[in-house]
């Protein structure tokens, strides 16, 4: 074969190899098993303890009940937001929330509405109270919440307890407000404090009807049946007690605002999930 013929043969062979390669490249690739899908990080449940399935946000059961969740704010006897209250919500067992809805229906018929100050309270909040009680120098709010009581008597006299029924999810603190309900001025940290035992017109301007003392008032006058509370304040306490008792709640005698649902589903269990929407299932 001459030089020209040999060169032509080599070109022909090269073109054939290229054609084979091009054909292979355009073919269907060899199948492989699909990768196992991994869960998205956002689909993971929130870290930390969560509520049992029968806990609810009261707003999902009855949006007409007013809320003023004091432990999520600085306006409480400690003077700052309390551990375990990242959100100002009223969480309760469904059983207690539905009973409270029936109370609200009866209250509205009387020209009143319920307003809750505290509902489920995590154990970490109770521990926060205990730690605060051991610091005698921290008494920034004494003039309002315990004006006539030494701080070291708060536990001994039953105003603060550990553990508390609140941590079982069927106990709450509440009052009655007029309907229509007036706006409540915002609490400003550092504003002058007035004793919770002062007349209603001088106390912090809570939009509650007069109950004889303010909320979380650590004083004998806050005892539900205190003989010194008369007139409209006595009638108002009696009305709240009548409405709550009719739907299965019982009062704690040292606090006119404190009620426990008697048929509570967790009578021996104390929970520690935070007061937050993400704690619910």
């Amino acid at each position: 074969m001459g030089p020209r013929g040999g060169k032509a043969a080599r070109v022909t062979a090269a073109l054939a190899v290229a054609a084979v390669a091009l054909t292979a490249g355009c073919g269907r690739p060899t199948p492989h098993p699909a990768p196992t899908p991994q869960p998205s990080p956002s689909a993971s449940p929130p870290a930390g303890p969560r509520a049992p399935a029968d806990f609810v946000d009261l707003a999902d059961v009855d949006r007409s009940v007013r809320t003023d969740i004091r432990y999520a704010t600085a306006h409480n006897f400690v003077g700052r937001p309390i551990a375990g209250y990242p959100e100002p919500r009223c969480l309760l067992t469904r059983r207690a929330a539905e009973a409270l809805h029936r109370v609200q229906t009866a209250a509205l018929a009387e020209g009143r509405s319920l307003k809750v100050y505290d509902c489920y309270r995590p154990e970490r909040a109770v521990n926060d109270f205990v730690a605060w009680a051991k610091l005698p120098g921290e008494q920034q709010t004494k003039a309002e919440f315990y004006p006539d009581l030494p701080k070291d008597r708060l536990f001994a006299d039953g105003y603060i307890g550990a553990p508390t029924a609140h941590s079982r999810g069927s106990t709450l603190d509440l009052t009655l407000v007029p309907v229509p309900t007036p706006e409540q001025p915002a609490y400003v940290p550092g504003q002058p404090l007035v004793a919770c035992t002062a007349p209603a017109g001088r106390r912090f301007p809570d939009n509650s009807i007069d109950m004889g003392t303010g909320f979380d008032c650590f004083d004998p006058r806050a005892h539900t049946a205190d003989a010194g509370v008369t007139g409209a304040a006595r009638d108002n306490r009696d009305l709240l007690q009548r409405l709550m008792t009719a739907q299965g709640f019982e009062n704690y005698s040292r606090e006119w605002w404190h009620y426990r649902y008697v048929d509570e589903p967790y009578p021996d269990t104390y929970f520690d999930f935070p007061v937050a929407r993400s704690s619910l299932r």
Side-chain angles (χ1 to χ4, degrees):
M1 182 178 295
R4 183 182 301 273
K7 182 178 180 181
R10 288 194 297 274
V11 170
T12 301
L15 290 173
V17 171
V20 171
L22 182 61
T23 302
C26 293
R28 185 181 299 276
T30 303
H32 295 285
T36 302
Q38 299 298 314
S40 168
S42 61
S44 301
R50 298 181 71 194
D54 61 342
F55 270 74
V56 297
D57 188 327
L58 177 62
D60 293 337
V61 177
D62 192 327
R63 301 190 67 85
S64 69
V65 177
R66 298 278 181 152
T67 58
D68 183 7
I69 308 300
R70 294 287 184 87
Y71 299 143
T73 76
H75 191 209
N76 57 63
F77 64 89
V78 175
R80 57 168 171 76
I82 304 303
Y85 285 82
E87 298 172 13
R89 294 184 181 275
C90 173
L91 306 185
L92 290 169
T93 61
R94 179 171 292 279
R95 193 179 297 177
E98 290 178 348
L100 198 67
H101 166 65
R102 295 191 293 272
V103 177
Q104 174 71 340
T105 300
L108 292 172
E110 301 261 3
R112 298 286 186 258
S113 172
L114 300 176
K115 183 177 83 166
V116 294
Y117 294 113
D118 190 37
C119 299
Y120 158 75
R121 183 184 306 163
E123 285 195 295
R124 70 191 72 183
V126 181
N127 295 338
D128 199 1
F129 292 162
V130 172
W132 170 83
K134 295 178 180 178
L135 300 173
E138 289 197 12
Q139 302 201 43
Q140 298 92 325
T141 64
K142 175 177 173 58
E144 179 175 358
F145 293 98
Y146 50 108
D148 301 317
L149 186 70
K151 183 178 178 180
D152 61 9
R153 296 295 307 171
L154 295 180
F155 273 94
D157 289 2
Y159 294 109
I160 302 176
T164 174
H166 281 275
S167 298
R168 304 198 297 257
S170 298
T171 294
L172 66 158
D173 298 333
L174 77 170
T175 188
L176 293 167
V177 297
V179 177
T181 306
E183 290 299 316
Q184 177 174 296
Y187 171 75
V188 179
Q191 73 183 66
L193 300 179
V194 178
C196 57
T197 54
R202 291 181 49 211
R203 296 195 300 264
F204 174 78
D206 190 331
N207 55 10
S208 169
I209 61 177
D210 184 18
M211 292 289 186
T213 74
F215 165 64
D216 259 359
C217 188
F218 303 145
D219 188 275
R221 282 164 282 192
H223 296 182
T224 308
D226 182 71
V229 176
T230 59
R234 166 54 51 205
D235 293 341
N236 293 335
R237 288 189 187 188
D238 290 346
L239 173 60
L240 178 60
Q241 189 167 24
R242 174 170 59 81
L243 292 170
M244 295 295 286
T245 301
Q247 298 303 329
F249 291 89
E250 70 175 5
N251 174 247
Y252 173 52
S253 63
R254 290 178 178 267
E255 298 174 347
W256 60 257
W257 54 83
H258 178 116
Y259 284 84
R260 179 183 70 89
Y261 188 58
V262 175
D263 190 24
E264 58 182 315
Y266 300 102
D268 302 308
T269 307
Y270 298 85
F271 298 100
D272 191 41
F273 55 87
V275 178
R277 186 80 182 189
S278 60
S279 293
L280 302 179
R281 298 178 189 273

